Amino acid sequence: MCKESDYHFEYTECDVLGSRWRVAIPNKAETCTGLPDPVKGTYCTFSCNEGEFLDMQSQQCQKCSAGTYSSGTSIAFEDWDNLPMGFITHGMMINEGNAKINCSNSTWTPKGEYVASNTDECTATLSYAVNLKKPGSLYFEYFYPDSNIYFEFFVQNDQCQSTDSESRWMRISESSWSNYKVELSKGNNVLYWRTAAYDWQGSAVTPVLLRNIQVSGVAYTSECFHCKPGTHSSKAGSARCIPCPADTYSNKGATVCHDCEPDKYAVPGSGSCKPRPACTNSDYFYTHTPCDSEGKTQLMYKWIEPKICSEVIEGAVRLPASGEKQTCPPCNPGFFVTNSSGCEPCSNDSYSDGKVCKKCPVGTEPLLGFEYKWWNTLPRNMESTVFHEEFSNSERRTAWEVAGEYIYTIPGFQDTDYLTLTLNVPAYRAQTMAKANERSELSRITFVFETICTSVCSFYFLAGYSKWSNHLVEQWKGRNGKQSYTYLIQNNNTVSFTWTFQRTEDLSMDRNYSTDAAKIYSIHITNVIGGVAFQCRRCPATSNKDSTCVPCPPGHYMANGTGACERCPPNTFIKASQPVGETACVQCGPNTKTNRVYTACLSDCTFRVQKEGEAMQTYDFSPLSNVTSITSSPRFTSRGLRYFHLFNLNLCGTESRVPASCVDNVTESEKVLKGYICQSTMVPSDIRSQSLVSSQPVIIGDSLIGVTTKTTLEGISSPASLFPSASSQLPDVIFYYKSSDATQACKQGRSASVRLRCNPTTSVKDGIILPSGCSEGTCDGCTFHFLWETQHACPLCTTSHYREIISSCDKGIQTTTYVWQQPLHCYGGKSLPPPKVSACVTMDFWLKFGVSIGLITAVLLISLSCYFWKKTRKLQYRYSRLMMGSGGKECELPTADSCAIMEGEDAEDDLMDLTHKSFFTRIKSFSRERTSDGFDSVPLKSSSQHQQEEDEEED
């Protein structure tokens, strides 16, 4: 019948309801009968806390007793006196060797502190099955020095399917124990360690050793683990064991530590005491005391703590007496000597060589940092600690001691101790002219060191967030002469620097290499916020919030020699990193203006040009000022991967404009470059959630050179042949850009030109094209060309761009219409005036009016003709009378024919006019011939005749 020692309890798998059964499992098959019946187990959500274990008999959590420990959700196997419960080992022959070989005894064997593998040709397997309540991990240490054994480790689930993807083969251990860690998934995990020896030369094979196996993620542990020798737990329910202090020891499962005898010693965490050896010169070290009020220091000798040697044994050395007082070394640069002979830092606006603080000259600023080259005391921002390979919570006071001209390592508890020196700095000042598209140098640290070793010692230099979170920068092995090392700091989060020295990696509790040491002579770190200065530098062009100088106002430069601030000429900007001299002022390009802080030139998106004899033309490119994208034609790599180039363009705008940006989203930390024009490579993505992956961003133009119609500006050319034009009535307006990023191929940096061409019929805003002969936008890889053909590239319309058309008069109304001149080469600006309507008079009215005026004029002319004809007849009559009266003799007056007629009397005239004549007779009289003298012959009648004629007429 089975006894309680013949079996153990385990739980079955959880069912869909989260319940399970407790069953009894025999420790050895077929040794007894009558196992307890299965009973209902605890629910699967059940677990125990730290310091507790699950009593499977009562299925309740109970506290671990004193001298034992439990971590609750993890299992640790540190005691290998026997094979722990749950581990299974067996041997078998899996190759085609001698089938008669019996491999039943070829197993892993517990050896107290570790378990050892077999050394024959059989395959020995050590396995352990564990069910994890949550994802966990496995950690173990191994010693695998012999390459004649194949050693592999792998994990399988309960269906014998491998769950790891990495190589199974373990790496050879160089000189000490190696560790291995792997993540485990939730559920069943079967762990396998397997070895097989292949000794072709017949020499002895060194077995593989395993120890300290820890599995996390379990719900409970069914037993507590005894404390290792050298540790103890004094209270019940302990989650871990505490190492014994120096000169004490403990056995396995101890609740207290015991003191060693006076003539024996023990290092921390020892399971036994050793006899004290005789003291030697390597059991003490020297250091310097702080300076006293007289400026003196003293060389002091001290025993290495904890002291393990004995001075009373024959042949032991005594501790040397303290030396005489010596003059203190000077203070480090940036510090000054106080009245108490101590060293204090200078103020922020001064510097020193270690003696007296001096003010920086005008126009300069202190070059802040830390420089340590005299070691009388450990600086305040430094600390020294010892990290024991096995017990990291030791209370060792220091590992590095000052020695005047250098700082050096003193012996530790063991030769395997890590002796660390840590320097902490708050932050760094931002570089004034740091480029946004590349990682710039924030600071640099330089130190001079030396290692004096008789063994294979190691000296490490680490940098990071803190002394517990850093990365290895460089390491040196063995003896190294005095040398200097410099490290560039490019991340503002790198604020901790650690130097670590280890004498040897060999596991030994003795001090065999106590004389091995590392020395650091000087440490210098630059550009540190809160640092001190040993010299001054000229103020940069622009200041930042961390600057300690008062720079010149914007738009000013520093005059050579005097340090006075002088104003730059109008429309210039400051380009030099140190604006000293008038050459720091750079004239802005055509049609650009300097910004408010005088660091660059901008375009307000307007442009004006005037040809000789023509009106001024004004352009407004503000509708094109937003960021616009253009892609090149697809290309393919040699393996057929399709990609294309994406260009982002920001043409112009004020200081508040949104710049064009290109992103590198391949890594977790995205890299973003910003400027006027940038380029990135776009690759289709089938892995990431986004459809495209952007990589390799570059800045093509980060500064605007100028805006002009010329095809060359400051060495940048935009040939018209790249973009032929069918019409040449309007010149293209060209924006020129340049990038200061120099590469191996483009030593002068990249540049770009954007040619704007007027096309009133194109309403597409982002109609940008690349040169037909250069599908990637560049023909030489350095200068990029773009053509932007749009209606927004036309000049603003003015009154000269339209004409008027006047319609005919219709019913007294006349319309004036305005139309654009064709072909039209303008856009926006002035709009067409609306049609104008006015009153008018028709042609019928003017015809009637003209006829009426003609008739009136004809009547007046006839009337005037008649009037003057009558007057002429009277004159002719008078003249004829005069001629008749004179008888034809000149100079004789005619004889009076009748009574005198006074001048002005016209009796006969009236009589002649009253004579009744026919119309025909009158006309006939008008047509008579004139005499030879030119006068008309008019017969004159006498009065008697006239009377006779009248009588005849009456008759």
Side-chain angles (χ1 to χ4, degrees), residues 500-639:
T500 301
F501 180 72
Q502 185 185 36
R503 290 180 170 85
T504 182
E505 294 181 353
D506 295 334
L507 294 177
S508 175
M509 303 298 289
D510 299 327
R511 299 175 181 174
N512 298 323
Y513 307 104
S514 298
T515 56
D516 292 359
K519 296 181 179 180
I520 296 179
Y521 292 89
S522 65
I523 300 176
H524 183 205
I525 183 170
T526 63
N527 199 38
V528 177
I529 295 177
V532 293
F534 67 95
Q535 66 180 15
C536 298
R537 68 176 179 183
R538 291 191 178 275
C539 294
T542 57
S543 62
N544 51 63
K545 63 180 182 179
D546 301 324
S547 178
T548 55
C549 73
V550 180
C552 292
H556 291 69
Y557 65 92
M558 193 177 301
N560 288 319
T562 63
C565 295
E566 301 288 343
R567 176 176 289 277
C568 286
N571 205 28
T572 58
F573 67 98
I574 303 292
K575 187 176 182 180
S577 58
Q578 293 182 352
V580 180
E582 192 173 359
T583 56
C585 305
V586 180
Q587 186 69 35
C588 287
N591 296 288
T592 61
K593 295 180 180 179
T594 183
N595 58 0
R596 289 192 298 268
V597 293
Y598 297 89
T599 57
C601 293
L602 305 175
S603 169
D604 59 357
C605 297
T606 61
F607 179 74
R608 293 175 177 84
V609 61
Q610 185 177 15
K611 292 184 178 180
E612 186 176 356
E614 296 182 5
M616 174 76 71
Q617 289 184 337
T618 303
Y619 295 79
D620 182 12
F621 303 124
S622 56
L624 310 177
S625 59
N626 296 328
V627 178
T628 308
S629 300
I630 178 177
T631 57
S632 65
S633 56
R635 300 183 65 86
F636 297 89
T637 63
S638 58
R639 297 185 178 181

Side-chain angles (χ1 to χ4, degrees), residues 359-376:
K359 293 289 184 179
C360 287
V362 177
T364 63
E365 65 174 349
L367 191 60
L368 299 180
F370 290 108
E371 184 177 8
Y372 303 112
K373 60 182 182 180
W374 300 108
W375 303 93
N376 188 55

Side-chain angles (χ1 to χ4, degrees), residues 891-933:
C891 302
E892 290 185 3
L893 292 175
T895 305
D897 184 57
S898 62
C899 293
I901 298 176
M902 298 302 292
E903 184 178 359
E905 294 182 359
D906 296 328
E908 292 188 19
D909 294 340
D910 296 338
L911 179 62
M912 185 181 63
D913 292 336
L914 294 176
T915 303
H916 297 287
K917 293 182 179 180
S918 63
F919 179 76
F920 180 76
T921 307
R922 293 179 180 176
I923 294 301
K924 188 177 180 180
S925 64
F926 293 157
S927 58
R928 64 180 177 271
E929 294 182 0
R930 291 190 175 185
T931 59
S932 60
D933 57 2

Side-chain angles (χ1 to χ4, degrees), residues 262 265 275-280 282-284 303-304 306-313 316-317 511:
Y265 78 98
R276 293 183 181 272
C279 292
T280 64
S282 61
D283 289 318
Y284 62 87
W303 291 112
I304 297 173
K307 181 183 177 185
I308 63 174
C309 66
S310 175
E311 300 176 70
V312 298
I313 300 178
V317 299
R511 299 175 181 174

Side-chain angles (χ1 to χ4, degrees), residues 142-145 171-178 477 505-506:
Y142 68 93
F143 184 64
Y144 176 33
R171 294 182 178 179
I172 294 290
S173 302
E174 295 181 359
S175 59
S176 61
W177 289 84
S178 303
K477 294 283 187 179
E505 294 181 353
D506 295 334

